[in-house]
Amino acid sequence: MKTTVASSGLPADVYSAKCPTRQVLDHIAGKWTVLIVDSLLDGTLRYTELFRRIEGVSQKMLTQTLRLLEADGFVTRTVHPTVPPRVEYGLTELGRSLAGPISALREWTEAHINDIEQARSARPADQRATP
Amino acid sequence: MKTTVASSGLPADVYSAKCPTRQVLDHIAGKWTVLIVDSLLDGTLRYTELFRRIEGVSQKMLTQTLRLLEADGFVTRTVHPTVPPRVEYGLTELGRSLAGPISALREWTEAHINDIEQARSARPADQRATP
DNA sequence: CAGTATCCGCGACGATACTG
DNA sequence: CAGTATCGTCGCGGATACTG
């Protein structure tokens, strides 16, 4: 099924540099995006919970990526006006739909890591076709 | 199913900063990776064919990403010693296995672009929980 | 054709400090 | 707790030119 982009009337095509799908792919394909969306699949999490769960992320990148995901309509941000403040992040319906492919990518990586490490160590010479 | 990383004996976990799966995720989650792997799903392509198909990629990034995918064992590079040279890129078995989740991501993006653009324009105010 | 090689700007990203 | 704000760097990535 081919989708037509409503705003432009052109077909959706990530191979086209000008197609808005390309920019969305850039967002989705970020490493922090994968880890955040996958984290929220099991339920909402607070800012600090995300921060601790995703090792190596800086506050800046976590906040930045969350804002981006919010703007794209993947993530909800709920502020509880308590003191101290409590902010819950969760997935929208659209976000849950995205979480399928995203989690598949994480699972694939964890499942095939040994194949990959083996390929890296057993670096073969260039294959040369015999004419 | 939980995978154990052979080289370290630790469980595979992309949330751990030191786990090799994290680095692999970084490679896989690159935008050019998605477009290249998805392109090769239908069969081998020559360098120039990839270059023309993936709008906006520079020679440098195309070559660099191809080398990375080759080192990780996802892509084969076959040089035909003709003149002019002919270099064919294809997927390994591991690469074809990766192409499933990757293509799902591309398809999801193209299918949901209108939902996303709608979410972007209809930027709602912060949801505030009523205490 | 299928790449290297080189230069370089600029934004991604991390570290640190501060705040409602 | 959940962020901003600010600064500094580092390497991503584009542009251009050259080669087997």
Side-chain angles (χ1 to χ4, degrees):
Chain A
M1 249 292 290
K2 201 160 213 173
T3 302
T4 298
V5 179
S7 58
S8 66
L10 298 171
D13 177 18
V14 292
Y15 290 105
S16 168
K18 302 155 300 308
C19 184
T21 53
R22 175 67 77 85
Q23 187 194 356
V24 171
L25 190 65
D26 292 356
H27 295 175
I28 290 175
K31 64 172 166 175
W32 302 128
T33 299
V34 174
L35 294 171
I36 290 173
V37 170
D38 183 70
S39 290
L40 297 177
L41 193 50
D42 297 329
T44 67
L45 288 176
R46 302 178 61 175
Y47 181 85
T48 316
E49 291 172 333
L50 280 167
F51 186 65
R52 276 196 295 259
R53 175 162 190 181
I54 301 171
E55 282 184 24
V57 72
S58 62
Q59 283 196 341
K60 180 178 174 180
M61 287 316 296
L62 181 56
T63 301
Q64 188 173 307
T65 309
L66 282 168
R67 294 287 184 276
L68 202 66
L69 295 175
E70 201 188 351
D72 281 348
F74 302 145
V75 159
T76 60
R77 179 174 180 269
T78 309
V79 180
H80 300 265
T82 59
V83 49
R86 179 185 185 85
V87 180
E88 301 265 9
Y89 290 94
L91 294 178
T92 62
E93 193 185 334
L94 188 62
R96 268 191 297 279
S97 142
L98 170 63
I102 291 264
S103 292
L105 215 54
R106 178 193 58 76
E107 286 160 16
W108 187 93
T109 304
E110 291 183 351
H112 292 82
I113 183 61
N114 287 319
D115 294 335
I116 296 165
E117 292 214 305
Q118 193 178 344
R120 285 180 175 174
S121 55
R123 183 89 67 95
D126 287 357
Q127 282 187 350
R128 302 204 166 263
T130 46
Chain B
M1 249 291 288
K2 201 160 215 173
T3 303
T4 297
V5 179
S7 58
S8 65
L10 298 171
D13 177 17
V14 292
Y15 290 104
S16 168
K18 302 155 302 305
C19 183
T21 53
R22 175 67 76 85
Q23 188 192 357
V24 171
L25 189 65
D26 291 356
H27 295 175
I28 289 175
K31 62 172 170 176
W32 301 129
T33 300
V34 173
L35 295 171
I36 290 173
V37 171
D38 183 72
S39 290
L40 296 177
L41 192 50
D42 298 329
T44 67
L45 288 175
R46 302 177 62 173
Y47 182 85
T48 318
E49 291 172 333
L50 280 168
F51 186 65
R52 277 195 295 259
R53 173 161 190 182
I54 301 173
E55 283 184 23
V57 73
S58 62
Q59 282 196 342
K60 179 179 174 180
M61 288 315 296
L62 181 56
T63 301
Q64 189 173 305
T65 308
L66 283 168
R67 293 286 182 277
L68 201 67
L69 295 175
E70 200 188 352
D72 282 347
F74 303 144
V75 159
T76 60
R77 177 172 180 271
T78 308
V79 180
H80 300 264
T82 57
V83 47
R86 179 185 184 86
V87 181
E88 302 264 8
Y89 291 94
L91 294 178
T92 63
E93 194 185 334
L94 189 62
R96 268 191 297 279
S97 141
L98 170 62
I102 290 264
S103 292
L105 215 54
R106 179 193 57 76
E107 285 160 16
W108 187 93
T109 304
E110 291 182 351
H112 292 81
I113 183 60
N114 288 318
D115 294 335
I116 297 165
E117 292 215 302
Q118 191 177 346
R120 285 179 174 175
S121 55
R123 183 90 67 94
D126 287 355
Q127 282 187 351
R128 299 201 168 265
T130 48

